[in-house]
Amino acid sequence: MKNRYVACVTSLIGIALMFSSCGGTNAKTVKRMQQLEEGVSSPTTEAELKEAIQKYQGRVEDMVLANQQIGIWYKMLGSRYLDNKMYGEALEAFRMATTYYPANQNLYYYVAVCAGYMANQALDYTASGSTAQKFNYLKLAESAYLEALKIDSKYARALYGIGVLYIFELDEPGKAIPYLESLANIEARNVDGLFLLANAYYQTFEFDKAMAVYDKIIATTTSSEKKTQAEANKRKVLETAYEG
């Protein structure tokens, strides 16, 4: 059922793009058809120009609505691909959606998520020892998260996502700290975000801050499992600090 839905949406996008194409033979054909339909060819006088503007105004509005719908369809298509774990196709669909909605932070978040999945699937099929493809996908994820946060600096999912990326994928925990601190200020009871922040502090040798965050988790969480984990992590930080 899902695959039929994906195929249907893909077909609809293709048809919409064909009719909304702005280049080549299609555009010229559409222009001639519009001229015949509206009775406007080459206006020259003031009255003719005003009449042409009035007649074509509806066409402009139709084009805007068509492009808006295409962007929505690309987002729907990307979501379906993501549900089916077809990450490469999902990435391309969300990328196309951003060309219609370049100020939508959610789309850039999903681009980042898909790029992260693709990085984990980037095998070295040539056995050359190169990790360039994986690194490129990780950097794409980083740039997409940053773009989402440029649009909305308080976007919690992107703050968390870029924290995970810096700590566990790019091995740059120091870069994660300001984003995770922002997340902690926005969502004070986001325990998963606090665990990430404490981890980043620990890896950058800010042991006192790490222990303070674990204390906050212990006082905040209602999950006995997470409380136990925070207590164990705090003991590890204490041991490391003592050894140092």
Side-chain angles (χ1 to χ4, degrees):
M1 185 68 180
K2 287 184 177 179
N3 290 336
R4 288 173 59 191
Y5 176 92
V6 169
C8 180
V9 175
T10 303
S11 298
L12 288 171
I13 290 173
I15 292 169
L17 285 172
M18 179 180 68
F19 283 105
S20 64
S21 172
C22 296
T25 305
N26 281 348
K28 293 178 182 178
T29 302
V30 170
K31 185 176 180 181
R32 285 197 296 269
M33 290 173 64
Q34 289 176 347
Q35 289 173 350
L36 288 171
E37 185 177 337
E38 301 293 353
V40 176
S41 179
S42 300
T44 54
T45 67
E46 181 180 340
E48 289 174 339
L49 287 167
K50 286 182 178 179
E51 182 183 13
I53 289 170
Q54 184 177 7
K55 287 183 175 179
Y56 272 103
Q57 185 64 43
R59 297 292 184 185
V60 172
E61 291 173 358
D62 288 344
M63 185 65 72
V64 170
L65 288 173
N67 283 335
Q68 288 176 342
Q69 190 60 54
I70 292 169
I72 291 170
W73 284 340
Y74 269 121
K75 181 180 179 181
M76 292 167 60
L77 183 60
S79 298
R80 286 295 181 172
Y81 278 138
L82 190 57
D83 288 344
N84 284 281
K85 300 181 180 180
M86 300 167 70
Y87 303 122
E89 290 83 354
L91 176 59
E92 178 60 18
F94 286 125
R95 183 191 71 80
M96 286 299 300
T98 65
T99 65
Y100 293 92
Y101 291 99
N104 187 314
Q105 67 271 25
N106 295 302
L107 295 176
Y108 292 105
Y109 169 80
Y110 283 117
V111 167
V113 169
C114 292
Y117 280 121
M118 290 301 293
N120 290 326
Q121 293 181 346
L123 300 179
D124 181 19
Y125 287 105
T126 61
S128 63
S130 173
T131 59
Q133 187 181 38
K134 178 176 182 177
F135 181 75
N136 288 340
Y137 276 123
L138 291 176
K139 295 303 286 185
L140 172 59
E142 178 188 24
S143 64
Y145 280 131
L146 291 175
E147 189 64 31
L149 291 169
K150 187 188 300 183
I151 297 168
D152 181 0
S153 62
K154 296 182 179 181
Y155 187 18
R157 289 196 295 176
L159 290 168
Y160 182 87
I162 201 168
V164 171
L165 182 71
Y166 281 137
I167 292 172
F168 298 111
E169 300 291 349
L170 292 173
D171 195 25
E172 296 179 299
K175 285 188 176 182
I177 289 174
Y179 297 104
L180 295 172
E181 287 177 338
S182 294
L183 179 60
N185 289 330
I186 296 165
E187 297 185 352
R189 300 181 68 85
N190 187 329
V191 173
D192 291 335
L194 291 174
F195 268 110
L196 279 181
L197 179 57
N199 187 312
Y201 282 144
Y202 174 72
Q203 291 195 52
T204 54
F205 308 103
E206 297 188 69
F207 301 131
D208 288 341
K209 289 184 178 181
M211 287 188 287
V213 174
Y214 284 128
D215 283 336
K216 184 175 181 180
I217 294 172
I218 293 165
T220 299
T221 185
T222 57
S223 167
S224 58
E225 182 180 349
K226 290 183 177 182
K227 183 174 292 188
T228 299
Q229 185 62 56
E231 290 169 344
N233 289 358
K234 181 182 176 182
R235 286 194 296 272
K236 182 178 178 180
V237 175
L238 277 168
E239 292 169 1
T240 305
Y242 180 77
E243 291 172 357

